[in-house]
C-alpha cells in the first residue's frame, strides 16, 4: 500500500530528465539505453552488464556536466543534468523492480547487488559541488513558475544532501548513504524471504470459507501449512472460529523478519541518526520532514495527537460494543486482542448490519475487480485501457496501455498474486519516468491477491488504492521535465490521490459494473447498502492503529536510537492503538515502511485528511461526475510535482486545505 521508491536525499535528485534534446553522444546513448524496458531479463550476467552500462552512461554525463564552463543555462546545464538523472534514476528503478519480482533468485540477487552501486553514484552526483554550482548559476529571471519551482526544488534537495559542506563532511555523507542503502536492502530482503510455516490441524481451521479450504489441503503429515502471504493469513484472522488459531497466525505474521531484522533495523536507525548529525540536524526526523508539507517532527506529533483526540471517543465506543458482543460469542474473553478484531468485527457486522463477509467475498475476484477498475477509469477520466503486446517476467503478469483518445498516456504491468521470492506487500513501482515528447511513463503494480477464486472486499479497496498511484504516475508523466513527475511531490501528499479513489469501492453504481458471484448475479444493491452502513464501525479504531504505526515511525527517528526496539514499539502502540501489543511479537521487524518512509509514516493519516477534503467536491457534484473527475485529473494528477502540493489542493478546491472533513468523520462515527 505504497508508492515504491528509495527515499534518500541523494535519490530524490535522480528522478528527472529534460525535454530538451542535446546533439551529444551521451544524449543519444541515454535514449538508446532507455528504449528497452529491461525488466524481463532472466540472466544474471545480463543484469551485471546492464548495471555496468548504467554506471558508465551516468558517469560520462556527470563528468561532462562537471567540466562545463561559461554562462550556465537551462537549455544546456539543466538539460544534461536531467539526462543524467533519467538514465540513472530509471536504471535504478528497473533494478529495484527486478530485485522484487524476478522468478530467478540469481537474477534477483544480481539486481539487488547493483542497487547499492547505483546509490553510490547517486550520492556522488548529489554531493557534486561543480554540478550544484552550475545549476545554481542558471538565471531565474523570466522562468515560468513551474520551471522556477522545479529548479529551486532541485537546488534545495542538493543542500539537504549536504553539497554545501566541506570535503570531509561530504565524504562522511557518501559513506553513510552507501551503508544506509545496503542496510535497507537487507531489511527488505529479510521480510520478503521469510515465508513462514504455520502448521495447523484441519479442525483448527473451522469457520474458514470452503473455497479457501479447497486450496489449502493437508500435507503428508496431516497438517495444513500456511505461509505469511496475505491470501493465507488474512482469511484466518477474519474467519477462524478457534481463537488460539487466530493467535498463532497473528504471532507468526507479526514476527516476520525476526530475529534477523532486529540488528539490521537498529543499524539503519543508527546510520540515519549519524547522517542527520553530520548534516547539522538534531535527528533524522527533523532532516526528513524539513521539505514536507508537515514541516517538522513536532508538527507531525501534534497532528497525530489531534487526530487521536478526534478518534478516541468513537474508538472507545466501538471497542466497548465489540467487547460486549464478543462475550456473547466467547464468554471466556475479558479483553479483546488484536487477533480478535477482524473476526469479531465481521461477526458483529453480520449480526447488526446483516453483512456476512463470506457472502461478500463471493462477488469479488482478481480479474473481475481489474476489469471493473478499467471501466471506472474510463467513466471518470476517459481512460481507454488496451492490452500491450510485450514480454513479461512471469506467465501470470499482464501488460496494458492507457490511451486518452489517440494519445498514448502510458504503459503498465500488473503482477498481482504471490509467488516465491516476490515482493510480499502491495505497491506501485516506476519502470520509466515520463517526459512529454521524450518517453511515455511506464509503471508496475506488485500485489499479493488470490490468483483464482473469491477475494475480500478489502482486497478490491487495496487494488484501487494502488491503481491510484499508477494513474498518478502515468498522468503526471507528460510534464516538461521528469523532475516534475508525481514522484517529486512532497511525500506527505503522495498517498492522498490513492486514498481518494478508495471511496469508489463503496459506491453501488461502481460495484455493480463488476462485482458478481460465480452464477453471474450482480452484487445486490441492498447488500452494498448494508456494507456501507457497517463500513464505519471500527473505523476510528483502525485509524488509531494507523496513528500507532505513525508514532512508531516518528519516535524511532526523532531521537538518538539508544532505546530498546520492542519497548519503544509497545509504548507507542499502547499510547494510540485500542489493542495492546501481542506478547512475544516483534512487528517492527516486518514494518517495511521504516526503511522507505522512515519517520514519515504519518503520511497515510495526513493524506487521508487531504483525500477526504478533495472528495468533498465529488460529494457535491456526484461521485461519478466526469466533469469533476476531469478537473481533478487536470489540476491535481497531471501537474505531478511541478507545483507545491498546497497549490494543487487549492487549485482544485478553490480554497486552502482543511482537515475538518476527516476529524468530523471520526467524531461522527
Amino acid at each position: 500500500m505504497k508508492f515504491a521508491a528509495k527515499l534518500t536525499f541523494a535519490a530524490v535528485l535522480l528522478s528527472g530528465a529534460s525535454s530538451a534534446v542535446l546533439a551529444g553522444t551521451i544524449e543519444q546513448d541515454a535514449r538508446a539505453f532507455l528504449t528497452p524496458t529491461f525488466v524481463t531479463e532472466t540472466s544474471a550476467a545480463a543484469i551485471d552488464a546492464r548495471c555496468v552500462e548504467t554506471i558508465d552512461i551516468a558517469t560520462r554525463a556527470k563528468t561532462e556536466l562537471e567540466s562545463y564552463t561559461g554562462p550556465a543555462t537551462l537549455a544546456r546545464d539543466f538539460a544534461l543534468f536531467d539526462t543524467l538523472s533519467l538514465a540513472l534514476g530509471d536504471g535504478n528503478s528497473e533494478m529495484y523492480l527486478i530485485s522484487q519480482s524476478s522468478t530467478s533468485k540469481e537474477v534477483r540477487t544480481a539486481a539487488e547487488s547493483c542497487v547499492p552501486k547505483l546509490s553510490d553514484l547517486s550520492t556522488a552526483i548529489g554531493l557534486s559541488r561543480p554540478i550544484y554550482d552550475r545549476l545554481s548559476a542558471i538565471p531565474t529571471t523570466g522562468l515560468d513558475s513551474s520551471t522556477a519551482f522545479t529548479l529551486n526544488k532541485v537546488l534545495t534537495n542538493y543542500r539537504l544532501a549536504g553539497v554545501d559542506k566541506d570535503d570531509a563532511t561530504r565524504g562522511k555523507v557518501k559513506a553513510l548513504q552507501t551503508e544506509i542503502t545496503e542496510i535497507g536492502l537487507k531489511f527488505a530482503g529479510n521480510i520478503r524471504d521469510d515465508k513462514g510455516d504455520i502448521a495447523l490441524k484441519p479442525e483448527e481451521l473451522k469457520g474458514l470459507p470452503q473455497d479457501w479450504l479447497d486450496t489449502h489441503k493437508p500435507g503428508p503429515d496431516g497438517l495444513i501449512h500456511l505461509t505469511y502471504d496475505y491470501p493465507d493469513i488474512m482469511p484466518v484472522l477474519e474467519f477462524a472460529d478457534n481463537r488460539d488459531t487466530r493467535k498463532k497466525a497473528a504471532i507468526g505474521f507479526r514476527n516476520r523478519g525476526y530475529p534477523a531484522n532486529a540488528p539490521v533495523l537498529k543499524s539503519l536507525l543508527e546510520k540515519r541518526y549519524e547522517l542527520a548529525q553530520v548534516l547539522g540536524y538534531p535527528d533524522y526526523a527533523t532532516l526528513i520532514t524539513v521539505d514536507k508539507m508537515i514541516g517538522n517532527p513536532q508538527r507531525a506529533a501534534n497532528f497525530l495527537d489531534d487526530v487521536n483526540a478526534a478518534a478516541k471517543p468513537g474508538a472507545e465506543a466501538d471497542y466497548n460494543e465489540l467487547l460486549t458482543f464478543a462475550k456473547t460469542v466467547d464468554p471466556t474473553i475479558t479483553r479483546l486482542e488484536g487477533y480478535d478484531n477482524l473476526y469479531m468485527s465481521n461477526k458483529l457486522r453480520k449480526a447488526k448490519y446483516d453483512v456476512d463477509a463470506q457472502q461478500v467475498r463471493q462477488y469479488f475476484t482478481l480479474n473481475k475487480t481489474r476489469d471493473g477498475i478499467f471501466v471506472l477509469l474510463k467513466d471518470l477520466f476517459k481512460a481507454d485501457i488496451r492490452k500491450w503486446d510485450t514480454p513479461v517476467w512471469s506467465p501470470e503478469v499482464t501488460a496494458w496501455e492507457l490511451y486518452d483518445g489517440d494519445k498514448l498516456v502510458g504503459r503498465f504491468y500488473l503482477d498481482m498474486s504471490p509467488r516465491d521470492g516476490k515482493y510480499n506487500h502491495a505497491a506501485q513501482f516506476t519502470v520509466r519516468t515520463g517526459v512529454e515528447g521524450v518517453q511515455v511513463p511506464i509503471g508496475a503494480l506488485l500485489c499479493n491477491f488470490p490468483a483464482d477464486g473469491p477475494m475480500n472486499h478489502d482486497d478490491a479497496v487495496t487494488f484501487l488504492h494502488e491503481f491510484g498511484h499508477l494513474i498518478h504516475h502515468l498522468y503526471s508523466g507528460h510534464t516538461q521535465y521528469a523532475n516534475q513527475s508525481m514522484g517529486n511531490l512532497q511525500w506527505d501528499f503522495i498517498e492522498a490521490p490513492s486514498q481518494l479513489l478508495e471511496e469508489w469501492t463503496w459506491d453501488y453504481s461502481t460495484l455493480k459494473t463488476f462485482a458478481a458471484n460465480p452464477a453471474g448475479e450482480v452484487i445486490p444493491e441492498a447488500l452494498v447498502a448494508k456494507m456501507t452502513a457497517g463500513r464505519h464501525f471500527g473505523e476510528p479504531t483502525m485509524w488509531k492503529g494507523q496513528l500507532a504505526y505513525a508514532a512508531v515511525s516518528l519516535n524511532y527517528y526523532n531521537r538518538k536510537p539508544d532505546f530498546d526496539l520492542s519497548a519503544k514499539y509497545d509504548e507507542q502502540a499502547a499510547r494510540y492503538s485500542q489493542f495492546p501489543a501481542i506478547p512475544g511479537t516483534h512487528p517492527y521487524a516486518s514494518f517495511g515502511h521504516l526503511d522507505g518512509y522512515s519517520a514519515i509514516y504519518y503520511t497515510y493519516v495526513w493524506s487521508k485528511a487531504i483525500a477526504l477534503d478533495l472528495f468533498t467536491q465529488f460529494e457535491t457534484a456526484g461521485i461519478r461526475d466526469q466533469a469533476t473527475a476531469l478537473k481533478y485529473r487536470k489540476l491535481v494528477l497531471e501537474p505531478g510535482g511541478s507545483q507545491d502540493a498546497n497549490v494543487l489542493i487549492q487549485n482544485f478546491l478553490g480554497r486552502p486545505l482543511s482537515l475538518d472533513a476527516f476529524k468530523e468523520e471520526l467524531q461522527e462515527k
Side-chain angles (χ1 to χ4, degrees):
M1 190 168 62
K2 66 177 182 177
F3 168 69
K6 301 301 292 178
L7 190 58
T8 63
F9 286 102
V12 169
L13 296 168
L14 306 170
S15 57
S18 170
S19 60
V21 177
L22 302 179
T25 302
I26 292 175
E27 178 72 14
Q28 294 169 347
D29 287 353
R31 297 288 168 79
F33 168 79
L34 292 170
T35 298
T37 56
F38 203 78
V39 291
T40 59
E41 184 54 59
T42 58
S43 161
I47 297 295
D48 292 340
R50 180 71 166 183
C51 187
V52 170
E53 184 182 6
T54 307
I55 292 172
D56 177 64
I57 289 175
T59 301
R60 287 164 54 202
K62 172 179 179 290
T63 301
E64 180 169 324
L65 181 55
E66 289 175 333
S67 70
Y68 277 178
T69 58
T73 65
L74 195 72
R76 186 187 188 211
D77 297 80
F78 197 73
L80 182 54
F81 169 74
D82 274 357
T83 298
L84 160 62
S85 301
L86 188 66
L88 189 53
D90 281 5
N92 181 75
S93 292
E94 65 187 16
M95 285 296 169
Y96 190 59
L97 173 60
I98 291 167
S99 75
Q100 301 298 312
S101 65
S102 175
T103 58
S104 165
K105 181 174 175 35
E106 291 73 20
V107 168
R108 293 195 304 272
T109 300
E112 191 170 275
S113 68
C114 178
V115 172
K117 300 173 186 176
L118 300 181
S119 178
D120 282 351
L121 184 51
S122 299
T123 301
I125 293 167
L127 292 171
S128 171
R129 188 62 192 241
I131 293 178
Y132 173 74
D133 289 342
R134 294 300 302 177
L135 297 178
S136 60
I138 295 173
T140 57
T141 303
L143 294 182
D144 64 87
S145 60
S146 292
T147 302
F149 175 82
T150 301
L151 178 59
N152 180 66
K153 185 174 178 62
V154 167
L155 294 174
T156 298
N157 288 336
Y158 260 100
R159 290 189 289 271
L160 288 172
V163 71
D164 53 353
K165 306 299 181 184
D166 58 39
D167 290 345
T169 301
R170 293 203 305 274
K172 290 179 182 178
V173 169
K174 186 177 185 300
L176 285 168
Q177 291 286 22
T178 297
E179 291 182 276
I180 288 167
T181 298
E182 292 174 346
I183 294 167
L185 287 169
K186 188 173 183 180
F187 185 69
N190 286 338
I191 300 171
R192 181 194 64 224
D193 296 337
D194 188 358
K195 302 298 288 185
D197 181 11
I198 302 174
L200 297 165
K201 299 176 182 178
E203 57 267 28
E204 292 180 285
L205 291 165
K206 181 183 177 182
L208 270 291
Q210 189 59 48
D211 63 85
W212 187 92
L213 293 170
D214 289 342
T215 58
H216 293 78
K217 300 293 186 182
D221 58 0
L223 301 176
I224 295 174
H225 293 264
L226 305 182
T227 69
Y228 295 150
D229 289 336
Y230 286 91
D232 276 5
I233 291 295
M234 298 313 295
V236 173
L237 296 177
E238 287 198 69
F239 302 118
D241 292 333
N242 188 314
R243 195 184 191 203
D244 286 339
T245 297
R246 301 196 304 272
K247 180 178 180 180
K248 187 181 296 185
I251 289 175
F253 188 69
R254 293 178 72 79
N255 270 327
R256 288 172 298 150
Y258 183 82
N261 264 346
V264 176
L265 178 58
K266 193 71 168 179
S267 180
L268 182 65
L269 297 176
E270 290 169 349
K271 295 301 178 183
R272 280 180 163 160
Y273 177 77
E274 184 179 354
L275 175 64
Q277 295 272 302
V278 167
L279 290 173
Y281 292 87
D283 52 66
Y284 192 77
T286 302
L287 174 62
I288 199 70
T289 56
V290 71
D291 64 339
K292 306 300 184 291
M293 293 181 73
I294 207 83
N296 59 69
Q298 186 56 55
R299 190 179 177 207
N302 292 342
F303 169 71
L304 298 184
D305 286 341
D306 195 24
V307 175
N308 189 48
K312 186 176 180 180
E316 290 181 348
D318 283 349
Y319 177 89
N320 291 332
E321 181 179 359
L322 189 62
L323 177 59
T324 299
F325 174 81
K327 290 178 178 179
T328 69
V329 178
D330 183 351
T332 67
I333 291 179
T334 58
R335 184 183 73 176
L336 291 173
E337 303 288 351
Y339 48 82
D340 295 317
N341 185 35
L342 288 174
Y343 176 79
M344 290 299 176
S345 293
N346 279 339
K347 291 280 190 182
L348 185 147
R349 289 190 185 97
K350 184 175 181 180
K352 185 175 181 178
Y353 302 103
D354 194 24
V355 177
D356 185 343
Q358 292 205 35
Q359 177 193 5
V360 171
R361 72 194 301 271
Q362 297 301 315
Y363 292 95
F364 296 93
T365 66
L366 176 58
N367 289 341
K368 286 189 293 189
T369 302
R370 178 199 66 201
D371 294 345
I373 290 173
F374 288 0
V375 170
L376 174 65
L377 296 183
K378 184 177 183 66
D379 292 346
L380 291 179
F381 304 124
K382 296 185 177 180
D384 179 10
I385 298 176
R386 312 171 189 175
K387 287 189 176 180
W388 175 24
D389 184 13
T390 189
V392 294
W393 53 85
S394 189
E396 67 273 22
V397 177
T398 57
W400 307 86
E401 295 180 316
L402 190 158
Y403 281 84
D404 182 13
D406 294 330
K407 180 179 180 178
L408 176 63
V409 175
R411 298 184 170 107
F412 61 93
Y413 303 91
L414 297 180
D415 186 352
M416 307 305 285
S417 300
R419 63 175 175 274
D420 288 345
K422 178 190 162 185
Y423 177 77
N424 56 11
H425 198 46
Q428 193 272 144
F429 290 71
T430 294
V431 179
R432 288 289 177 264
T433 304
V435 183
E436 185 65 20
V438 177
Q439 64 181 27
V440 297
I442 304 174
L445 291 191
L446 267 59
C447 301
N448 287 274
F449 305 130
D452 301 300
M455 71 180 196
N456 294 342
H457 177 253
D458 283 348
D459 291 332
V461 176
T462 299
F463 195 158
L464 188 53
H465 174 101
E466 299 306 335
F467 219 93
H469 287 308
L470 180 64
I471 63 169
H472 197 181
H473 171 63
L474 300 184
Y475 281 125
S476 72
H478 296 269
T479 50
Q480 183 180 4
Y481 303 106
N483 272 304
Q484 297 169 336
S485 69
M486 175 264 279
N488 293 280
L489 269 167
Q490 293 104 310
W491 272 57
D492 43 6
F493 176 84
I494 210 72
E495 296 292 337
S498 290
Q499 290 174 321
L500 172 68
L501 276 186
E502 293 176 12
E503 297 299 320
W504 276 261
T505 61
W506 297 93
D507 171 53
Y508 179 69
S509 64
T510 298
L511 294 180
K512 72 178 183 181
T513 65
F514 71 91
N517 64 20
E521 298 167 335
V522 174
I523 190 169
E525 185 171 7
L527 177 57
V528 176
K530 294 172 184 176
M531 291 166 58
T532 302
R535 171 188 180 183
H536 295 295
F537 176 81
E539 193 171 55
T541 299
M542 183 274 291
W543 282 112
K544 279 177 65 67
Q546 287 294 299
L547 292 174
Y549 288 130
V552 168
S553 162
L554 187 63
N555 284 277
Y556 270 20
Y557 281 105
N558 65 1
R559 66 195 68 214
K560 184 178 181 179
D562 55 359
F563 51 84
D564 179 85
L565 294 175
S566 288
K568 182 62 66 179
Y569 189 101
D570 292 352
E571 171 190 288
Q572 297 305 315
R575 183 178 176 187
Y576 291 99
S577 177
Q578 284 296 117
F579 302 102
I582 302 172
T585 62
H586 307 82
Y588 63 80
S590 60
F591 192 179
H593 292 76
L594 289 173
D595 174 28
Y597 276 58
S598 64
I600 63 170
Y601 190 84
Y602 74 85
T603 287
Y604 283 95
V605 189
W606 178 262
S607 291
K608 181 66 174 181
I610 297 172
L612 288 179
D613 202 22
L614 296 174
F615 188 63
T616 59
Q617 300 297 296
F618 289 95
E619 289 180 313
T620 299
I623 191 170
R624 295 179 70 86
D625 181 67
Q626 190 178 78
T628 303
L630 290 175
K631 176 185 174 184
Y632 168 74
R633 170 185 154 182
K634 179 180 179 180
L635 297 179
V636 178
L637 299 183
E638 291 180 1
S642 65
Q643 297 172 323
D644 185 273
N646 287 294
V647 174
L648 300 180
I649 293 166
Q650 181 152 342
N651 286 347
F652 179 63
L653 294 176
R655 57 167 173 77
L657 169 68
S658 170
L659 305 181
D660 291 345
F662 186 34
K663 291 192 287 185
E664 287 172 5
E665 178 171 299
L666 291 173
Q667 290 166 342
E668 289 172 1
K669 308 305 175 186

Short mmCIF file of all heavy atoms in Angstrom, two decimals, residues 211-228:
data_model
loop_
_atom_site.label_atom_id
_atom_site.label_comp_id
_atom_site.label_asym_id
_atom_site.label_seq_id
_atom_site.Cartn_x
_atom_site.Cartn_y
_atom_site.Cartn_z
N ASP A 211 -14.00 -22.27 -0.17
CA ASP A 211 -13.08 -22.07 -1.30
C ASP A 211 -11.64 -21.97 -0.82
O ASP A 211 -10.71 -22.42 -1.50
CB ASP A 211 -13.47 -20.83 -2.11
CG ASP A 211 -13.36 -19.55 -1.29
OD1 ASP A 211 -12.25 -18.98 -1.22
OD2 ASP A 211 -14.38 -19.12 -0.72
N TRP A 212 -11.43 -21.40 0.38
CA TRP A 212 -10.09 -21.32 0.95
C TRP A 212 -9.62 -22.71 1.37
O TRP A 212 -8.48 -23.09 1.10
CB TRP A 212 -10.10 -20.37 2.14
CG TRP A 212 -8.75 -20.06 2.73
CD1 TRP A 212 -7.93 -19.03 2.41
CD2 TRP A 212 -8.07 -20.81 3.75
NE1 TRP A 212 -6.79 -19.06 3.17
CE2 TRP A 212 -6.84 -20.15 4.00
CE3 TRP A 212 -8.37 -21.97 4.47
CZ2 TRP A 212 -5.92 -20.62 4.94
CZ3 TRP A 212 -7.45 -22.43 5.41
CH2 TRP A 212 -6.24 -21.76 5.64
N LEU A 213 -10.49 -23.46 2.01
CA LEU A 213 -10.13 -24.82 2.44
C LEU A 213 -9.81 -25.71 1.26
O LEU A 213 -8.91 -26.57 1.33
CB LEU A 213 -11.27 -25.42 3.27
CG LEU A 213 -11.55 -24.76 4.63
CD1 LEU A 213 -12.84 -25.29 5.22
CD2 LEU A 213 -10.38 -24.99 5.59
N ASP A 214 -10.51 -25.50 0.15
CA ASP A 214 -10.28 -26.32 -1.04
C ASP A 214 -8.88 -26.12 -1.60
O ASP A 214 -8.34 -27.02 -2.27
CB ASP A 214 -11.31 -25.99 -2.12
CG ASP A 214 -12.71 -26.48 -1.77
OD1 ASP A 214 -12.83 -27.35 -0.88
OD2 ASP A 214 -13.68 -25.98 -2.38
N THR A 215 -8.28 -24.98 -1.36
CA THR A 215 -6.93 -24.71 -1.87
C THR A 215 -5.86 -24.84 -0.79
O THR A 215 -4.70 -24.51 -1.03
CB THR A 215 -6.87 -23.28 -2.47
OG1 THR A 215 -7.24 -22.33 -1.48
CG2 THR A 215 -7.80 -23.17 -3.68
N HIS A 216 -6.25 -25.29 0.39
CA HIS A 216 -5.30 -25.48 1.49
C HIS A 216 -5.52 -26.87 2.09
O HIS A 216 -6.11 -27.03 3.15
CB HIS A 216 -5.48 -24.40 2.57
CG HIS A 216 -5.10 -23.03 2.10
ND1 HIS A 216 -5.92 -22.27 1.31
CD2 HIS A 216 -3.98 -22.28 2.32
CE1 HIS A 216 -5.33 -21.11 1.05
NE2 HIS A 216 -4.16 -21.09 1.65
N LYS A 217 -5.04 -27.87 1.37
CA LYS A 217 -5.21 -29.26 1.79
C LYS A 217 -4.08 -29.69 2.74
O LYS A 217 -2.97 -29.15 2.68
CB LYS A 217 -5.21 -30.17 0.57
CG LYS A 217 -6.33 -29.87 -0.44
CD LYS A 217 -7.70 -30.18 0.14
CE LYS A 217 -8.79 -30.04 -0.91
NZ LYS A 217 -10.14 -30.29 -0.35
N PRO A 218 -4.36 -30.66 3.60
CA PRO A 218 -3.31 -31.18 4.49
C PRO A 218 -2.17 -31.80 3.71
O PRO A 218 -2.35 -32.37 2.62
CB PRO A 218 -4.05 -32.23 5.33
CG PRO A 218 -5.49 -31.85 5.24
CD PRO A 218 -5.68 -31.26 3.88
N GLY A 219 -0.96 -31.68 4.26
CA GLY A 219 0.20 -32.31 3.66
C GLY A 219 0.34 -33.74 4.12
O GLY A 219 -0.54 -34.30 4.81
N PRO A 220 1.45 -34.39 3.77
CA PRO A 220 1.68 -35.79 4.17
C PRO A 220 1.63 -36.00 5.68
O PRO A 220 1.33 -37.10 6.14
CB PRO A 220 3.08 -36.08 3.61
CG PRO A 220 3.25 -35.12 2.48
CD PRO A 220 2.52 -33.89 2.90
N ASP A 221 1.93 -34.95 6.44
CA ASP A 221 1.91 -35.07 7.90
C ASP A 221 0.52 -34.84 8.48
O ASP A 221 0.33 -34.84 9.69
CB ASP A 221 2.89 -34.08 8.53
CG ASP A 221 2.62 -32.63 8.16
OD1 ASP A 221 1.66 -32.37 7.41
OD2 ASP A 221 3.38 -31.74 8.61
N GLY A 222 -0.47 -34.63 7.61
CA GLY A 222 -1.84 -34.41 8.07
C GLY A 222 -2.13 -32.99 8.51
O GLY A 222 -3.25 -32.68 8.92
N LEU A 223 -1.15 -32.10 8.40
CA LEU A 223 -1.31 -30.71 8.82
C LEU A 223 -1.42 -29.79 7.61
O LEU A 223 -0.89 -30.07 6.53
CB LEU A 223 -0.13 -30.27 9.68
CG LEU A 223 0.12 -31.08 10.97
CD1 LEU A 223 1.38 -30.59 11.67
CD2 LEU A 223 -1.08 -30.99 11.90
N ILE A 224 -2.10 -28.67 7.80
CA ILE A 224 -2.19 -27.65 6.77
C ILE A 224 -1.12 -26.61 7.06
O ILE A 224 -1.08 -26.03 8.16
CB ILE A 224 -3.59 -27.00 6.76
CG1 ILE A 224 -4.64 -28.04 6.35
CG2 ILE A 224 -3.63 -25.80 5.82
CD1 ILE A 224 -6.07 -27.55 6.44
N HIS A 225 -0.24 -26.39 6.10
CA HIS A 225 0.89 -25.49 6.28
C HIS A 225 0.61 -24.15 5.61
O HIS A 225 0.37 -24.08 4.41
CB HIS A 225 2.16 -26.12 5.72
CG HIS A 225 2.62 -27.32 6.48
ND1 HIS A 225 3.58 -27.27 7.47
CD2 HIS A 225 2.21 -28.63 6.43
CE1 HIS A 225 3.76 -28.47 7.97
NE2 HIS A 225 2.95 -29.32 7.36
N LEU A 226 0.67 -23.08 6.40
CA LEU A 226 0.40 -21.74 5.89
C LEU A 226 1.68 -20.92 5.81
O LEU A 226 2.56 -21.03 6.69
CB LEU A 226 -0.59 -21.01 6.81
CG LEU A 226 -1.92 -21.69 7.09
CD1 LEU A 226 -2.78 -20.79 7.96
CD2 LEU A 226 -2.64 -22.03 5.79
N THR A 227 1.78 -20.11 4.77
CA THR A 227 2.87 -19.14 4.67
C THR A 227 2.39 -17.82 5.29
O THR A 227 1.26 -17.71 5.75
CB THR A 227 3.26 -18.90 3.21
OG1 THR A 227 2.19 -18.20 2.55
CG2 THR A 227 3.52 -20.22 2.49
N TYR A 228 3.24 -16.82 5.23
CA TYR A 228 2.86 -15.49 5.70
C TYR A 228 2.24 -14.64 4.59
O TYR A 228 1.97 -13.46 4.80
CB TYR A 228 4.08 -14.75 6.26
CG TYR A 228 4.67 -15.38 7.49
CD1 TYR A 228 6.04 -15.28 7.77
CD2 TYR A 228 3.88 -16.09 8.40
CE1 TYR A 228 6.59 -15.84 8.91
CE2 TYR A 228 4.43 -16.67 9.53
CZ TYR A 228 5.79 -16.55 9.78
OH TYR A 228 6.33 -17.12 10.91
#
